[in-house]
Amino acid sequence: MFAFRYQPLKSFYVVYTFLSILFVRLPYWCIISAIPASRPRPSWSMSRSILLHGCKAIATMLFATGAFPSVDIEAQSKTIDSFVWVDGVPEDLVRGEIADMAKQNNVKSIRVHGYWYGKKGAGGGYAQPASKDERVLYHFHGGGFLAGTASPTGQYAPIMNGILEHAGGVVDRAFGLDFRLASAAPRKVENPFPAQLLDAIAGYRYLVHSVGFSPDNIIIGGDSAGAHLAISLCLYLNRYALPGLSPPRALILLSPTADWACTHNVDASSSLMANSSSDYAGVYFLSGYTATALRGSLPLEEVRTNIWLSPSSLNIANVANQFSNFPPTCIIASGDEQSLDGIRTIHRRLAGDNPDKSVVYWEYPNSLHDFVALKIHEPERSEALNRLHDWLKTVLY
């Protein structure tokens, strides 16, 4: 891991990766993917097989070089008109276990930023005050807490754009938050948990107190690691009853990755092993790097036993009723992703602690992890977005 993190080896490896994909690996993938028996799943299309090989190659490069993509915040603030700053959460709203974890990891609340999607106001701006009964999607991007952005120029923009396009008349705007990204040795150690949760709380407070959305008109969403953060935010709002910040109206979880300790990896039949040929995200789990970056100074065992760090871990004690009072929740997963066991566990926990039928679960076979973010992943992406539109109508009306 990160064997090529120093220059000039990093640049050489990145160039090698892209040149080898273009001139060597892509032709080879085309040849082997033309044969159904040589695809990750024989039922997959040729294009889906090639897409997976490409995603795996990029993930391998990231963990070989540590060249996780980031955004130039100063440039984005000047060139993207939907960019906004979000004030840090006040100290009096950081409570209980989260306050203790923040102190142990020396995490403070800071100003962060986010991006608006959807309609502009009469004055031409995106961040206009909420109108009466206007609904907003508050979304957290994926990337294993190590990379990613909610920027309209980033890879997760198709999620927010897709939900708005397919949920016309149900969701009016979307707001994506760029929470702090974590890292650990041998890279610079920074932003362990709960930095990400403090930022998420700040964004929720911004939507309610600065923009004027009623919590009853906010739908929280997240994909991959961002779905883990969405779960944590709902847990926090339920437990600590922050003034004026009641829980949201609904929750959308896309391929939620929430077992960073890999407690479901008990044998070869686990999804982490059985789906290794059909997923590209395994390195985030098997490397243990996200777990290390998140826990910071906290004991190693915390990743296995702490509901905030791994809400779908099998080693959390007294887990019953810890997920009660969650809003209506929709979970979308791929039947071929490596985190599937953990996704099924979080579904069981949410469904078991909340009223019957308030938690829906859709599992799409022959699909990639976080496929809603992939515009070419059809027909599953459009099917999921259309079903999501129908579900939101039943929840919101």
Side-chain angles (χ1 to χ4, degrees):
M1 187 169 60
F2 308 132
F4 301 95
R5 65 184 180 276
Y6 296 118
Q7 296 290 9
L9 290 179
K10 178 187 287 188
S11 294
F12 287 152
Y13 192 89
V14 171
V15 172
Y16 153 76
T17 297
F18 284 104
L19 290 179
S20 66
I21 288 175
L22 184 60
F23 295 108
V24 180
R25 287 189 267 186
L26 181 57
Y28 173 71
W29 295 336
C30 290
I31 293 171
I32 63 171
S33 298
I35 306 170
S38 298
R39 298 169 188 166
R41 293 285 188 269
S43 56
W44 284 18
S45 66
M46 179 177 173
S47 60
R48 187 159 301 175
S49 176
I50 295 171
L51 176 62
L52 174 67
H53 288 306
C55 289
K56 277 192 170 185
I58 298 300
T60 298
M61 181 200 72
L62 295 179
F63 277 84
T65 62
F68 295 104
S70 59
V71 299
D72 184 333
I73 299 176
E74 183 177 353
Q76 297 256 311
S77 67
K78 295 176 180 178
T79 59
I80 298 181
D81 58 359
S82 63
F83 178 103
V84 293
W85 288 107
V86 175
D87 290 335
V89 62
E91 287 188 10
D92 65 305
L93 298 185
V94 183
R95 303 176 179 179
E97 299 169 271
I98 298 305
D100 294 339
M101 295 170 73
K103 183 176 181 181
Q104 188 164 347
N105 272 336
N106 193 30
V107 169
K108 306 291 184 182
S109 181
I110 65 169
R111 185 176 71 159
V112 290
H113 66 278
Y115 305 85
W116 282 101
Y117 288 75
K119 64 181 183 181
K120 291 185 178 182
Y126 282 94
Q128 72 272 15
S131 58
K132 184 181 179 182
D133 298 326
E134 184 183 7
R135 300 182 185 90
V136 64
L137 169 70
Y138 177 32
H139 190 81
F140 305 119
H141 65 78
F145 292 113
L146 310 175
T149 175
S151 170
T153 62
Q155 70 184 93
Y156 299 101
I159 294 177
M160 286 166 279
N161 283 327
I163 291 176
L164 290 177
E165 290 167 5
H166 287 75
V170 178
V171 180
D172 302 290
R173 279 189 281 171
F175 180 71
L177 185 80
D178 268 12
F179 50 84
R180 281 173 281 181
L181 301 175
S183 63
R187 300 169 69 225
K188 181 181 179 181
V189 179
E190 58 184 351
N191 303 327
F193 193 85
Q196 301 73 25
L197 180 55
L198 298 190
D199 298 344
I201 300 167
Y204 195 71
R205 181 173 177 269
Y206 161 76
L207 290 175
V208 175
H209 291 310
S210 298
V211 188
F213 283 100
S214 163
D216 199 46
N217 287 327
I218 298 176
I219 300 102
I220 291 180
D223 65 283
S224 195
H228 170 182
L229 184 55
I231 293 168
S232 295
L233 177 57
C234 286
L235 271 173
Y236 191 83
L237 295 174
N238 278 333
R239 287 195 181 187
Y240 297 107
L242 305 181
L245 298 179
S246 56
R249 181 68 173 273
L251 178 63
I252 300 171
L253 305 175
L254 309 176
S255 291
T257 52
D259 180 18
W260 297 106
C262 299
T263 61
H264 291 81
N265 188 26
V266 293
D267 55 40
S269 66
S270 71
S271 63
L272 195 60
M273 295 294 103
N275 291 342
S276 61
S277 64
S278 59
D279 196 3
Y280 58 88
V283 65
Y284 288 89
F285 302 102
L286 296 173
S287 68
Y289 187 71
T290 289
T292 300
L294 284 180
R295 72 179 179 87
S297 299
L298 299 172
L300 178 61
E301 186 64 14
E302 288 289 300
V303 183
R304 300 176 63 87
T305 60
N306 191 309
I307 196 170
W308 302 101
L309 295 177
S310 292
S312 63
S313 169
L314 296 176
N315 297 117
I316 297 174
N318 304 316
V319 71
N321 299 317
Q322 295 209 50
F323 296 95
S324 58
N325 300 315
F326 260 58
T329 301
C330 177
I331 303 172
I332 300 176
S334 161
D336 288 340
E337 60 182 311
Q338 289 178 271
S339 56
L340 184 60
D341 290 341
I343 295 173
R344 289 172 174 172
T345 293
I346 203 66
H347 167 235
R348 287 194 299 270
R349 289 177 176 174
L350 287 169
D353 287 350
N354 292 281
D356 185 37
K357 298 182 180 180
S358 69
V359 179
V360 300
Y361 176 74
W362 306 331
E363 186 175 301
Y364 287 81
N366 302 319
S367 299
L368 298 183
H369 169 75
D370 206 4
F371 65 87
V372 178
L374 304 170
K375 294 185 74 171
I376 64 174
H377 200 298
E378 294 293 352
E380 293 84 0
R381 180 176 182 268
S382 291
E383 290 175 3
L385 289 171
N386 286 329
R387 290 181 72 186
L388 188 58
H389 169 253
D390 293 340
W391 176 78
L392 283 169
K393 285 200 299 185
T394 66
V395 168
L396 299 175
Y397 292 101

